[in-house]
Amino acid sequence: MSLALERLVAGTPIPFAGNRVTVVSPELAARFQPGDHLLVEQVSGELLLIPVADQQAAAVAIERAAAAFTALSAVSDEAISQFFDLFAQRLETPECWANIASANLADIERAKARGRSTTRLLADERMRNDMIAGLRAWRDAAPTRGKVISSVEHDGWKVEQVISPLGIVAFVFEGRPNVFADAAGVLRTGNTAVLRIGSDALGTAQAIVTHALNPALADAGLPAGAVSLVESVNHAAGWAMFADRRLSLAVARGSGRAVSQLGSIAQQAGTAVSLHGTGGAWLIADRAADATRFAAVVRNSLDRKVCNTLNVCLIQRERAVELLPLFLGALQQAGIARGQGCKLHIVEGSEGYLPAEWQNATVEVYRAEGYQTEALAEPLAEADLGREWEWEETPEVSLMVVDDLDQAIALFNRHSPQFTVSLISEDAQVQERFYNAVNAPFVGNGITRWVDGQYALNKPELGLSNWESGRLFARSAILSGDGVFTVRSRMTQVDLSVKR
Amino acid sequence: MSLALERLVAGTPIPFAGNRVTVVSPELAARFQPGDHLLVEQVSGELLLIPVADQQAAAVAIERAAAAFTALSAVSDEAISQFFDLFAQRLETPECWANIASANLADIERAKARGRSTTRLLADERMRNDMIAGLRAWRDAAPTRGKVISSVEHDGWKVEQVISPLGIVAFVFEGRPNVFADAAGVLRTGNTAVLRIGSDALGTAQAIVTHALNPALADAGLPAGAVSLVESVNHAAGWAMFADRRLSLAVARGSGRAVSQLGSIAQQAGTAVSLHGTGGAWLIADRAADATRFAAVVRNSLDRKVCNTLNVCLIQRERAVELLPLFLGALQQAGIARGQGCKLHIVEGSEGYLPAEWQNATVEVYRAEGYQTEALAEPLAEADLGREWEWEETPEVSLMVVDDLDQAIALFNRHSPQFTVSLISEDAQVQERFYNAVNAPFVGNGITRWVDGQYALNKPELGLSNWESGRLFARSAILSGDGVFTVRSRMTQVDLSVKR
């Protein structure tokens, strides 16, 4: 027996996570209107209010995507190829692009007026060409829908395992208007997509939908709503979208609390996710490390700040006197290459290995707010090894001297985002033991920056996961376009007398 | 900000599913003790109380399985093979089996005293031999741990995709003591298992653990807890186990409300599941059906009642006068083969196609309670086409005459458990259109009874899913032992100058 949730009363206890309870605040109770949804995030107990308008914006887009998914089962692979081609052609057309560019200009003006960053917002020629190239790559990609991956023959009958469309894929991208080329890729394998894009880029996205995406869908004979935008500027529309049980897969780009919250919402709806709440790669120098390799790896894993940039380095004590100066030199070089200094967080207990000139120096650090004068090396508690340094221009990294490889493995498994790790060691047995013992989907013996679907696998990357929420069942942590599928079994009986 | 859940107050509203609310009953409030857990099943709003003892029984087993999973990464494939061999040897040993048999006898006596069915409970020689054969098959199965499934070569570096252990797999089996041979199979690929077994068979299961499983683990050098039993007779221990976020996969056998509830619990914890709440196969006779094939398929899909037994048949109107008598004849033959009659549920509107002798006849139906006199054919509302007939000895099935294939597809997609369907049609284009349009993981052109991992794929089946809760990401609905894996990416850098 249940009723509609018509109101929230301040002070009402809300149980979550089995044995915890949170309480409805007066502010939340006042905001709640009949028809609104309340999500109880089961990890944190956070209460998320979804206004009815955002709930409906998400529901409408998903409803259409569900109908489009069914319709797509009767659409040929050739028609899907044609859609990608027509979409690309429209972006190439000057009149069409003029409409998009003018919407983009308006978005940028609005963002500037609100004091927001516009670096990723600009729909310039490079972004346009990347989108066009991306769509043409999907057009030319081999369709995997219906591909037989294995077959078992019996006397008088056989069973084939067949790659098949998965369903509706939801994407949340913040503030980047060029995401349609990525999201539309799921159509290649017969899936449909719903997207939420940050409010800053919404006008540009709507122009792309109106002037390029929707006409291309219609002209190719694909169902309307096969790729569609959730028409809301509010984060709550993203929550509503990720909470919908009709999704087959939820993908979020970027990292941080907003992304991990989206991940929790989708997971508690039973939906598979592709995202990483926290990024940052780890690097471990073994006692059998090659010093030259170590220095090169540090230098080449700090070229710019993305999720697979070196974030934490552990050096074994036996080699610390030799390797730590190489580490510091490589860190400095990485800063110099960007015309900047660098910034070190040294775990308490390891500071004795720092040269005197690092102990009390200061550095000008290029932060989002501009240059700040900070200590060159700051102490870090071991418990904070999991912090990801979201640096802008000044390379920033944590460093610790450890007793042995077992301690390094234990620290990684305890504090890291369970994401990317490299071990520098010439000892093959040690590499093997390390590979088996670390809880990370991405393990290497060199630079950390290789973790990227396009760079590593030569395939467009839709999403990238870590193992913060556990290992991924039957799949890689790199989600490529051809990875969005299910497997069906098809039985063909020839002999009519077949029976159990 | 959150607090421990110390008490439940009757009348407290509990929001769920976004916009619904349920209320704590006086009975639930009275039962709740500090330390107990409360699960809010988000589909139904059902409030499930987990007593602290059951919560802890599950937590202890999972804690041990987590430690064992880590330890297993350092255990060789040879040691794992030896474990399977030693486990089988122990079951072969007369003294060991005598202990198990006497515990089983006690279980059976208890079950009889409680008036419970004991058909699946008896640990006889056949079950013993099946377990031994199953364990030897796992011993001899090729280890897939560490298998490289693809490799991408770049200039100076490469990336390999590697099959890797997934984590902790939880199993719920009701009342069957022979499940260890199945569950232990996940060790083959480096995973660990926790099990809950129905209270009726718990004594037998504990004897197997004490006298065979645990000694085999120890003697082979495998970590204790790599396979372990949740020591509780209560269903709540199964809920606690499936609600634990440390699981990588949750498998339940059987069907019905208890199983679908377990599925909901695991899914809202973000855990992948392998189970089907409802079973029952559908069969559709197209206008281009071969009559002989149709009759053979009906006859051979009703040999006994399991999840892939024929449950609903739809016949196209154009062929109804010819095919419906063949259907009834095959149904009668299926009953005769078991020394029984048969039972038909005819959808309202189709009864006119029944011969006069079926309209008012009665039949003795063998139910769990014994023979019951019932109508041979009973009317069924179209909305009840999804009902699964859990017959004991008397074959029982629903029948409807439909206008065309589109109506049949729509009925299947709306009312079926999204599981198994066969289309009888000689028209290859119709078969293709049907295959693309039905939302089922298992589609065939013949008998429905083929859906079974061992029978269809020659591999031990750990679990079987339908698509009631959506399509399965990147996997088949048949879960085999070698299907319990994740994929890791391993990068090997040769050229030290590699950089982005």
Side-chain angles (χ1 to χ4, degrees), chain A residues 241-256:
Chain A
M241 188 171 82
F242 270 40
D244 197 299
R245 290 173 175 267
R246 289 170 294 184
L247 301 186
S248 290
L249 175 61
V251 180
R253 290 285 183 89
S255 59

Side-chain angles (χ1 to χ4, degrees), chain B residues 125-387:
Chain B
E125 276 305 304
R126 184 180 163 180
M127 184 182 285
R128 180 186 184 184
N129 290 332
D130 282 353
M131 284 179 73
I132 291 166
L135 291 167
R136 295 247 156 89
W138 289 120
R139 177 195 65 188
D140 299 334
T144 55
R145 196 168 60 153
K147 186 176 163 190
V148 175
I149 49 173
S150 68
S151 180
V152 178
E153 302 274 346
H154 299 275
D155 207 14
W157 62 290
K158 69 172 176 181
V159 178
E160 292 168 316
Q161 301 288 83
V162 187
I163 297 285
S164 305
L166 178 66
I168 306 170
V169 185
F171 292 89
V172 168
F173 300 94
E174 294 301 328
R176 293 195 301 172
N178 62 330
V179 298
F180 287 100
D182 291 344
V186 303
L187 264 71
R188 179 73 277 170
T189 39
N191 305 289
T192 59
V194 285
L195 286 80
R196 190 189 109 77
I197 193 160
S199 56
D200 286 346
L202 186 60
T204 312
Q206 285 169 323
I208 294 172
V209 169
T210 305
H211 299 291
L213 171 68
N214 280 348
L217 284 173
D219 291 352
L222 265 59
V227 179
S228 73
L229 203 58
V230 174
E231 302 273 357
S232 165
V233 296
N234 297 323
H235 282 285
W239 303 337
M241 187 171 83
F242 270 40
D244 197 299
R245 290 172 175 267
R246 289 171 293 185
L247 301 186
S248 290
L249 175 60
V251 181
R253 291 286 183 90
S255 60
R257 174 69 191 138
V259 169
S260 66
Q261 193 172 53
L262 284 165
S264 289
I265 290 168
Q267 285 182 315
Q268 70 190 51
T271 301
V273 302
S274 176
L275 54 83
H276 52 278
T278 315
W282 286 45
L283 174 70
I284 295 164
D286 181 46
R287 52 186 294 196
D290 175 84
T292 311
R293 174 179 285 257
F294 173 69
V297 163
V298 174
R299 169 65 192 85
N300 293 328
S301 298
L302 286 167
D303 56 313
R304 66 189 188 102
K305 175 53 195 164
V306 285
C307 68
N308 56 29
T309 301
L310 175 59
N311 195 65
V312 174
C313 180
L314 308 179
I315 299 177
Q316 287 193 40
R317 197 171 305 284
E318 203 177 319
R319 300 286 301 281
V321 172
E322 172 196 3
L323 296 181
L324 200 133
L326 292 177
F327 174 86
L328 297 176
L331 173 60
Q332 283 176 316
Q333 285 168 36
I336 290 165
R338 303 185 67 90
Q340 306 292 337
C342 60
K343 169 94 191 189
L344 181 71
H345 299 268
I346 183 94
V347 172
E348 287 155 0
S350 300
E351 55 278 81
Y353 289 92
L354 283 186
E357 65 270 27
W358 278 71
Q359 304 263 11
N360 294 303
T362 60
V363 60
E364 294 298 300
V365 178
Y366 190 117
R367 300 280 177 205
E369 318 85 71
Y371 280 104
Q372 314 274 326
T373 306
E374 302 181 11
L376 176 60
E378 286 195 54
L380 183 76
E382 183 184 302
D384 288 334
L385 271 175
R387 279 193 63 177

Side-chain angles (χ1 to χ4, degrees), chain B residues 36 39 45 135 188 237 240 257 376 411 434 497:
Chain B
D36 291 354
L39 280 183
L135 291 167
R188 179 73 277 170
R257 174 69 191 138
L376 176 60
L411 286 168
F434 178 81
S497 70

Side-chain angles (χ1 to χ4, degrees), chain A residues 364-375:
Chain A
E364 294 297 300
V365 178
Y366 191 117
R367 300 281 177 204
E369 318 83 70
Y371 280 104
Q372 313 275 326
T373 306
E374 301 181 11

Side-chain angles (χ1 to χ4, degrees), chain A residues 213-230:
Chain A
L213 172 68
N214 280 347
L217 284 173
D219 292 351
L222 266 59
V227 179
S228 73
L229 203 57
V230 174

